[in-house]
Amino acid sequence: MAFKYILWVSALALFVMHPALADRSTKTSEIYKEDFACARKLQKGLKENDKASVAKLIDYPIIREKPLRPIKSEDDFIQSWGDFFDESTISALVDKEPEVVGWRGVMLGNG
């Protein structure tokens, strides 16, 4: 379970960051607007078990340490769904409000 969660956090970090985060003078709500929208799309996709919509949120490739193969496409991600999500991981993410984590972006649950 911990391994799957670590992989999930790595994948989430690939699409939650926003270039405007470097400019701290911008209002927080504006900086994170896209990030919050992305997190909500993720939650919706997980609630509906819509693997394709979740896969579209990820930037590829997802590089993983050997012996795990890299995830090169949406199809690879969907085939490897169980490496990232199980029932407990999904339930830990779907009902949480996205939270700002400093300059790092937003997180769901405990990140």
Side-chain angles (χ1 to χ4, degrees), residues 24-59:
R24 292 179 183 222
S25 65
T26 309
K27 291 184 179 177
T28 300
S29 61
E30 289 302 313
I31 291 174
Y32 297 105
K33 187 183 283 187
E34 288 181 36
D35 299 335
F36 279 99
C38 187
R40 289 193 175 92
K41 286 179 187 178
L42 171 68
Q43 289 175 312
K44 182 177 189 244
L46 292 172
K47 279 183 185 178
E48 297 174 357
N49 197 33
D50 186 353
K51 296 174 183 176
S53 71
V54 173
K56 289 180 190 302
L57 298 172
I58 307 294
D59 288 331

Side-chain angles (χ1 to χ4, degrees), residues 58-76:
I58 307 294
D59 288 331
Y60 299 96
I62 300 172
I63 306 300
R64 305 187 297 174
E65 291 190 28
K66 291 183 181 182
L68 298 173
R69 63 180 177 73
I71 306 294
K72 296 179 181 179
S73 67
E74 291 177 21
D75 290 333
D76 280 352

